[in-house]
Amino acid sequence: MNRRDFDRSIIETYTDQPCRLPESIRTEVERLWAGQTVQLYALADLDEGLSLDPTWVVLGPKQVVLVQGEDGNATYRRIDRARIREVRETTALSCHVLTLVPGPDEEPLAVLRYTHRQRRAMD
């Protein structure tokens, strides 16, 4: 095992989370985007009830894709980046909340919750 694989193994073991975007998700997202590549990704690791439930946030040139689940059970929700007018981040005691807002007085396009350990990736 080389140093990089060893580091990834430690991250996955102690955080109980993958350290990289799964290849199956990357492939499907790039297929949805007709070959455009993934620019950035991060893991939002909490659901509305603050239970551990990972959602991959995948950023591309024109869209953000939110991916819940894995492999054949994954759901892919696309949001056009042009619709996002504001990104709000709120910090609470137990988590951070990232809200994608289309405009004043409109319902959020997405609300993502994540633990403090995911903050740097989500930032």
Side-chain angles (χ1 to χ4, degrees):
M1 178 181 291
N2 66 33
R3 175 74 177 171
R4 175 178 261 169
D5 291 338
F6 181 71
D7 290 347
R8 287 181 183 151
S9 174
I10 288 173
I11 291 169
E12 290 178 355
T13 298
Y14 290 101
T15 65
D16 194 29
Q17 296 178 356
C19 66
R20 298 187 67 187
L21 181 66
E23 193 59 38
S24 60
I25 291 175
R26 178 184 297 276
T27 300
E28 180 62 16
V29 167
E30 290 178 351
R31 187 194 66 75
L32 290 171
W33 291 340
Q36 294 180 348
T37 60
V38 170
Q39 293 179 325
L40 296 169
Y41 60 86
L43 184 67
D45 57 353
L46 297 174
D47 64 13
E48 296 175 353
L50 303 181
S51 296
L52 289 173
D53 186 21
T55 298
W56 285 102
V57 181
V58 185
L59 180 67
K62 296 181 180 180
Q63 290 186 334
V64 174
V65 177
L66 306 178
V67 184
Q68 289 184 296
E70 291 184 34
D71 299 326
N73 296 325
T75 59
Y76 294 79
R77 182 169 163 228
R78 295 191 278 181
I79 301 170
D80 289 330
R81 288 179 60 179
R83 291 193 61 209
I84 302 170
R85 297 287 176 233
E86 183 181 354
V87 177
R88 295 181 191 147
E89 184 182 32
T90 308
T91 302
L93 289 175
S94 58
C95 71
H96 297 270
V97 179
L98 187 75
T99 307
L100 306 179
V101 182
D105 303 320
E106 292 185 64
E107 292 293 316
L109 297 168
V111 178
L112 300 158
R113 293 166 181 82
Y114 51 97
T115 58
H116 297 300
R117 72 178 169 204
Q118 295 302 114
R119 182 184 57 82
R120 286 190 183 202
M122 291 294 292
D123 283 351

